[in-house]
Amino acid sequence: MTAPARTGSGPATGATAPAAAASAGGVGPAAAPAPTGGVGPAAGSAGPAPAPAAGPVTGTPHPLDAAAVTAYRAAIRAGAPAARTADASPVHAFVLAHALADETVRALAAGEPEPPTVVHLAQEIRLARPVRPGETLVPTLEVAGARREPQGTRVAVRTRLTGDDGRDTVPVGDAAATAVAELTTTALLQGATGVAPFGSLPPAAPPPASGEKGEPSVVTRELTAEQVRAYAHAAGDLNPIHLDPAAARAAGFETVLVHGMHVIALACEEIADRYADGDIARITAVGGRFSAPVHPGVPVELTLQPDGGPGAPRAVRFSCRTPAGPAVKSGWVELAPEGGGRDA
């Protein structure tokens, strides 16, 4: 799943488009089987697809080694000083959860006459603690709801990452669960009309305003095609629309796209460097809405607004824009206080 394309920028019905799964912050046609546990209708079913079966769907356990953590952060920080710590990016939780969420969202549209384009609209990640190199994490997902919109069907899924050590029993959502992180992913099945509305879509939950704002910072970065490739391999997201200009053009874009979560991860690194003494593990939550794609070689302007008055902020709002307009809106990061006792 990817950052939203401009209206009409996805592949036309019947167009030759990349068959690989759409990536974080990207777009692509939906055509995947239902994951274990069963989600969505059988292909070719008539009428609206039924709501997914009740209950969670559990994905494949993901061992997380130190080399993967280092490679991911190095890809994000290309051209910048080395990271001060060896901790995982908070966005690495999304990397571990993405495959199950993407597969599940696509399975909802399995009964459509043509695979719809999946557009990543928004993402929130909340961490009970940082993910640890050397542990194994298991994603468990539930589809929160779906609703019809003029351009298709909007869906939201919640994914929980649980550790294999049993140490992390914390309140997550409306129930107590052994969870390291909870993620809420919102996507649009562009053109999908066969999914019956069900459930509810959770509202965005940015931190409340403190009433005081610090001095904003503006940072401009330009991501190259080489950096996009490095991120794709580090994140395990090799959708051709990020790597192959011909595939991107077939999907309706001028050239390849930067992964939307690459931009979010870059914002996290910039915020950690400026407001948390380079300690990425102090980020306890991050969220944002995708409004337009970013292409390599185009300046990306990040505006960082600390929230909380003088001293160390507890939250930083951010937005990202290119010369074409906003790319990420309503971004936010929550920070733990220095020495706040987070288990890293």
Side-chain angles (χ1 to χ4, degrees):
M1 292 179 287
T2 296
R6 291 176 285 277
T7 301
S9 60
T13 300
T16 301
S23 59
V27 294
T36 303
V39 179
S45 59
V57 177
T58 299
T60 304
H62 292 279
L64 181 61
D65 61 37
V69 168
T70 299
Y72 185 76
R73 290 196 67 195
I76 300 163
R77 297 182 65 89
R84 190 177 73 82
T85 71
D87 295 303
S89 165
V91 181
H92 214 121
F94 176 86
V95 173
L96 300 175
H98 172 60
L100 181 62
D102 186 70
E103 185 180 41
T104 301
V105 167
R106 292 171 184 285
L108 289 172
E112 295 291 328
E114 296 289 341
T117 297
V118 179
V119 180
H120 194 179
L121 298 177
Q123 186 66 50
E124 291 189 5
I125 303 169
R126 297 183 181 277
L127 298 158
R129 61 158 175 81
V131 297
R132 304 185 187 108
E135 71 179 335
T136 296
L137 293 163
V138 181
T140 301
L141 177 147
E142 291 183 280
V143 182
R147 76 177 185 210
R148 296 278 178 77
E149 296 191 352
Q151 293 189 44
T153 301
R154 183 182 293 241
V155 298
V157 297
R158 288 193 181 98
T159 309
R160 290 170 177 148
L161 291 177
T162 58
D164 60 353
D165 56 12
R167 296 173 53 191
D168 303 298
T169 302
V170 295
V172 178
D174 56 3
T178 303
V180 175
E182 183 181 61
L183 303 94
T184 302
T185 303
T186 305
L188 177 69
L189 295 170
Q190 200 168 50
T193 59
V195 181
F198 64 92
S200 61
L201 303 184
S210 70
E212 286 189 272
K213 297 186 184 299
E215 191 68 25
S217 299
V218 178
V219 183
T220 301
R221 295 286 182 263
E222 188 172 305
L223 300 172
T224 66
E226 290 76 14
Q227 290 170 338
V228 172
R229 281 194 292 272
Y231 181 90
H233 286 279
D237 187 343
L238 304 178
N239 188 318
I241 63 171
H242 301 293
L243 304 170
D244 180 1
R249 287 192 294 270
F253 298 99
E254 297 174 7
T255 187
V256 296
L257 281 70
V258 177
H259 301 71
M261 294 306 289
H262 188 170
V263 179
I264 296 286
L266 177 61
C268 287
E269 296 288 341
E270 296 288 353
I271 288 168
D273 285 354
R274 286 165 172 73
Y275 303 105
D277 296 322
D279 186 0
I280 199 80
R282 284 178 54 192
I283 294 180
T284 63
V286 57
R289 293 189 295 113
F290 301 109
S291 55
V294 174
H295 296 290
V298 173
V300 180
E301 182 182 274
L302 308 177
T303 299
L304 314 176
Q305 174 66 69
D307 192 356
R314 297 300 301 273
V316 178
R317 323 279 168 170
F318 69 90
S319 62
C320 307
R321 64 182 298 118
T322 70
V328 178
K329 294 181 178 180
S330 305
W332 54 269
V333 159
E334 288 185 338
L335 295 170
E338 185 176 10
R342 275 171 59 77
D343 178 10

